[in-house]
Amino acid sequence: MNAVKTDNLKPGQVLAEEVRDVNGRLLLASGNEIQSNHIRIFKIWGISEVNVAGTDGGGDHADSELDEELVEQIKNRLMILCRHLDLEHPVLKELFKLAVQFRCNHDQIEVENDPLVPEPESQPEPTKQDFLDNLRKKKIILPEIPAIVFELNEAIANPMSSAEHIGQVVNRSPSLTARMLKIVNSSFYGFPSKIDKVSHAVSLIGTREITSLALGISIVSIFKNIPKELVDMVSFLKHSLACGIFSRVFAAHHNLGQTEQLFVSGLLHDIGRMILYVHFPQESRIILSRSRNRSKSLYREEKNYLGCSHAEVGRQLMKQWKLPLLLENNVFYHHNPSVAQQVVPAAIVHLADIVVNLLGIGTSGEKFIPPFDQAAWAALDLPISSFEKLIGQATHQFRALESILHD
Ligand SMILES: [Fe+2]
Ligand SMILES: [Fe+2]
């Protein structure tokens, strides 16, 4: 019997000891021949090592050497993106190191282009009051809460909601139904047989998790028409989905309940920016170009130009749609969680956002890595030594779910 790192497993090897996930769910019994989908599922659930039969350890050698020239290039590029961070802080030091490794190995999901938007000449500066007035007026034309979001929100709040009831709500939207079934049949969940009914998915995965997923997906799909010259929509969705997944993984590691609420918080954390891009394209164009031309973070430039940031715009929507208070807390404070009413969940979304930006998985238009709230980190108390494993787990989950963005 040999312990073999999951990264070095090969299809055809035989499992010598059963493998279970963190919740005790059996992933594969001993004696089974390991297939490539099993390896994927082990990675998704953060199984770093398994015991296989036989004397051939499966090539468990030291990690392959990275190309030094490439490492230097990536380090230099990341240093520019990190200009608003103190890289001497132990958390950021470790994350920077992991981000360099990740970017060396995962070119394919890195942001490829960063369209520079020329700053329009001498635009008048609106005052804070102008913008907030404008936003209030825009509320009239912003979509009112769609019935399905309202019903899903009600279903989450009601602990007595049945699988049948949730299934009926989701089934009213054919596109949501198709997307939900795609998710539950993805390797993210790894169920052995095909699930073709939402109510079946609800009973397998759980009411809260499935309704939260449906809620998040429904809201994100409402704002799908971001002008292409401002930010690429698929890239924006990648950033949002990755932030949702990383938030959930950090929350689970922190033993925080309601991990599905953290997933939705991460998914929606930059929803305010979506509203700005869709409903205020002219202002967004100016803010984007100022951020790039002045090397300031987009978040700061929003505040300088509009008097409020996308986090405040997001909160307006959360309030208007009467979404759960925890979501409002996490969205509003995701850039300064130490002053939140609920610091830990907001700090988790904050950390997820920084990590996803460092790794370069999609973008919400922010060129620089957003500032790090050190006081919130103290409250979060995650071991730095766990980052590598958690990032590995979350990126595998991201790959398993990424396909839902392409339809
Ligand atoms: Fe943000
Ligand atoms: Fe973000």
Side-chain angles (χ1 to χ4, degrees), residues 234-267:
V234 172
S235 220
F236 194 105
L237 292 177
K238 275 187 186 181
H239 173 77
S240 306
L241 180 67
C243 201
I245 289 170
F246 275 76
S247 299
R248 189 163 90 154
V249 167
F250 291 149
H253 192 74
H254 202 275
N255 286 327
L256 207 70
Q258 304 188 354
T259 52
E260 74 287 340
Q261 289 260 42
L262 265 295
F263 174 78
V264 182
S265 302
L267 191 65

Side-chain angles (χ1 to χ4, degrees), residues 337-352:
S338 58
V339 294
Q341 270 92 36
Q342 297 202 51
V343 175
V344 170
I348 284 177
V349 178
H350 173 71
L351 180 67

Side-chain angles (χ1 to χ4, degrees), residues 218-371:
S218 312
I219 293 176
V220 166
S221 9
I222 292 166
F223 299 97
K224 54 177 176 256
N225 296 319
I226 294 180
K228 214 175 168 43
E229 76 275 13
L230 296 180
V231 70
D232 176 67
M233 185 66 197
V234 172
S235 220
F236 194 105
L237 292 177
K238 275 187 186 181
H239 173 77
S240 306
L241 180 67
C243 201
I245 289 170
F246 275 76
S247 299
R248 189 163 90 154
V249 167
F250 291 149
H253 192 74
H254 202 275
N255 286 327
L256 207 70
Q258 304 188 354
T259 52
E260 74 287 340
Q261 289 260 42
L262 265 295
F263 174 78
V264 182
S265 302
L267 191 65
L268 299 180
H269 75 289
D270 279 335
I271 195 85
R273 206 161 260 165
M274 276 200 178
I275 294 170
L276 289 177
Y277 291 146
V278 174
H279 294 281
F280 299 89
Q282 178 63 6
E283 288 87 343
S284 297
R285 201 165 287 119
I286 294 168
I287 295 165
L288 277 166
S289 60
R290 283 188 173 194
S291 156
R292 280 148 175 74
N293 297 343
R294 299 173 185 189
S295 297
K296 293 261 178 63
S297 82
L298 194 56
Y299 172 69
R300 296 263 174 254
E301 281 304 311
E302 286 167 357
K303 283 197 146 187
N304 288 342
Y305 189 68
L306 301 173
C308 69
S309 76
H310 64 285
E312 195 165 334
V313 177
R315 178 166 74 165
Q316 293 263 6
L317 186 81
M318 304 273 138
K319 275 191 186 303
Q320 187 186 329
W321 285 8
K322 297 187 175 52
L323 294 176
L325 278 178
L326 184 65
L327 279 189
E328 195 181 312
N329 176 81
N330 298 346
V331 168
F332 184 48
Y333 293 106
H334 75 269
H335 285 290
N336 52 346
S338 58
V339 294
Q341 270 92 36
Q342 297 202 51
V343 175
V344 170
I348 284 177
V349 178
H350 173 71
L351 180 67
D353 185 38
I354 288 179
V355 175
V356 168
N357 273 294
L358 273 167
L359 301 183
I361 307 178
T363 177
S364 69
E366 181 68 88
K367 185 177 173 65
F368 302 102
I369 315 298

Side-chain angles (χ1 to χ4, degrees), residues 4 24 40 70 95 117 162 173 192 195 200 219-220 234 294 402:
V4 177
R40 222 167 31 240
L70 179 66
L95 289 176
V117 191
S162 66
S173 162
I195 296 157
H200 186 200
I219 293 176
V220 166
V234 172
R294 299 173 185 189
E402 194 190 2

Side-chain angles (χ1 to χ4, degrees), residues 6-7 38-47 392-393 396:
T6 310
D7 280 340
H38 297 135
I39 298 173
R40 222 167 31 240
I41 289 166
F42 294 162
K43 287 178 178 175
I44 287 170
W45 290 106
I47 311 294
Q393 189 179 342
H396 287 303

